[in-house]
Amino acid sequence: MNIGIIGSGGREHAICYKINKSNSSHKIYCFPGNAGTSKISTNVLINPDNFDELYDFVIKKNIDLIIVGPENSLVNGIVDFFENKNIKIFGPNKKASKLEGSKIFMKDFCIKNKIPTAKYIEVKDLKSAQDFLISSNFPVVVKSDGLAAGKGVTICNNTDEVLKDVKRILDGKFKSSKKVIIEEFLKGEEASYFVITDGINFKNIGTAQDHKRVGEGDIGLNTGGMGAYSPSYLIDDEVEEKIVQKIIKPTIDGMRKMGTPYRGILYAGLMIHDKEPKLIEYNIRFGDPECQVLMLRMKSQLLDIILSIFDNTLKEKKIIWEENPGITIVAASKGYPESFKNNVEIKNLENLKLTNSKQIFHAGTIKNEKGKILSNGGRVLNSTVVSETLKNARIEALDLLDQLDWENKYYRRDIGFRVIKK
Ligand code: AMP
Ligand code: GLY
C-alpha cells in the first residue's frame, strides 16, 4: 500500500516507524515529517492545510490511506475533504472533531450524556465571571473554548487571577475562539485512556500517564509533554470498567445518536480520585509523547487495526501488547516552552545502539544539505524504551540521551517518579 502520514512530530515518527515494521512492505510519505521519518519514508514539503495541493500529490502517487496525526488538520476538516473524494483517511471528521476543538461543545455533550466531568459555566463578560465566583471555591480553572496548543488552561487561586485571564481570552488572546469557560478544579491524579473506534465498536489502544510541566517534580510552565509512561498504574480492571461504562461508551453512542459518529483515535484525559474517573478533556488523536511509548509496546500491527475501521472488522480484532512497561523522555531545546535556539547540531545520534525496544523518535529535527541533524523546534527527540521495569526503562532512556553531543539539550531525569520509587 501507499500510505500518507500528516504531521511532523514524535507522534508521527512513531506511527511511521510502526507502519514500517508491518509484515508487508509499504511506501510511506510524511507531510512534512522530520529528519527521523526521512530515514524510513519520503518527506514531502507540502503544507498539510493546503488540501488541494495535498490532493494532487495523493492522486499522483496513488496514496491508498492517509493517517492524520495532529488535531489542527482534523478540526480544519481534512477528513471531510478526502472522504468527499473517496480517499481513505483515518481520523474524525470536522463535526466529530469538536470534542477537542470546542470545550463548550464537549462540556455540553457530557451533560447531555451524563458523562462525569468538572462542573462549568461559559462566561460572556467579567460581571458574569464575578457572579459565578461568589458561590465557588478556589482554585477554579479558566479555559479558552478553542484549540490553544496546551496554553489555553489556567488554574486560578483568586478572583483577580480569574478576571485577568477571562479578560485576556475575551479580548482575543487565542485566535481559535474568544469564548471562555470557568470550571471546577478536580482533585486526583491524571491518566490517559486511548480507544480506536469505527463509530460503533471500540477497542482500548493503550493507557499512559504524562508529565506536562517543564521542570523536575512537575513544576514550572506547562508544555506539550516532557515524557510519558505506559501502562498507567492508576487504571486497573475496576477503574477501566468505570471508564468504559461511564465515559467511553456514552461518548461513542452519544456521538452516533447525534448523527456525527466518531471514527478514529479518541484520547480521554482523565482525573482519577479514589478510583473514580472524571473526564478532564477529550483529544481527537493520539497523545504526543504518549503515542511514542504506545507504538513501542504494541505487538499487533497498527496498520491492520487501522484498516479494520474501513472494512468493519474492528470488533474481531485483538490488540496485543508487550507486558513490560515503557517510557518516553522528551529532549527539548534549552529554554522551551519559552524562547529557544533552532538549528543547533545534534551529534552522535547515528552511533546510538537502537533495538525493537529502544528507539529515538524525532520531533523537531531537520537534516541539512550536508546530512547533519539540526534541532528545529521546542521538543526535539523522544528517547523511548520498553524494559522489565519502568526503572530500568528510564535508566536506558536517559543513557541514550546522555550520549548525545548536543549543546542545547534539556530533559527531565524524573519521568515516572510517581511509580519509580528509589
Ligand atoms: P487541557 O488543555 O484541558 O488538557 O488541560 C491542561 C491541563 O490542565 C490538564 O492536563 C490538567 O492538568 C489541568 N486541568 C484542566 N482542567 C482541570 C480541572 N478541571 N481540574 C484540575 N486540573 C485541570
Ligand atoms: N501529551 C498531551 C497531548 O498530546 O495532548
Side-chain angles (χ1 to χ4, degrees), residues 1-115:
M1 278 182 90
N2 295 334
I3 296 164
I5 299 175
I6 307 286
S8 62
R11 168 181 50 209
E12 289 76 26
H13 185 194
I15 292 171
C16 186
Y17 165 87
K18 185 70 186 153
I19 288 181
N20 191 49
K21 289 249 167 223
S22 303
N23 290 340
S24 36
S25 75
H26 305 285
K27 174 89 189 134
I28 310 174
Y29 297 91
C30 288
F31 305 94
N34 56 40
T37 62
S38 73
K39 280 181 83 173
I40 49 175
S41 72
T42 304
N43 284 355
V44 185
L45 283 177
I46 289 180
N47 172 2
D49 285 329
N50 188 339
F51 299 162
D52 288 319
E53 207 181 327
L54 196 57
Y55 175 69
D56 288 345
F57 188 90
V58 163
I59 293 298
K60 199 165 90 196
K61 298 291 180 184
N62 286 317
I63 292 181
D64 305 287
L65 168 71
I66 304 171
I67 299 170
V68 188
E71 62 276 16
N72 314 50
S73 302
L74 295 165
V75 169
N76 289 341
I78 193 170
V79 169
D80 310 57
F81 180 91
F82 281 96
E83 274 181 353
N84 281 335
K85 307 224 181 259
N86 284 321
I87 288 167
K88 280 196 188 108
I89 179 160
F90 178 65
N93 66 16
K94 190 168 184 166
K95 279 192 180 155
S97 294
K98 284 178 94 176
L99 275 182
E100 178 169 357
S102 165
K103 295 221 156 53
I104 295 171
F105 172 86
M106 172 274 196
K107 285 297 205 181
D108 196 44
F109 176 86
C110 285
I111 292 175
K112 286 194 186 118
N113 292 282
K114 301 192 173 57
I115 293 166

Side-chain angles (χ1 to χ4, degrees), residues 11 210 212 224-225 267 281 283 285-290:
R11 168 181 50 209
D210 75 339
K212 289 205 172 70
Y267 156 1
E281 57 160 357
N283 295 308
R285 32 118 192 136
F286 273 122
D288 186 342
E290 293 88 336

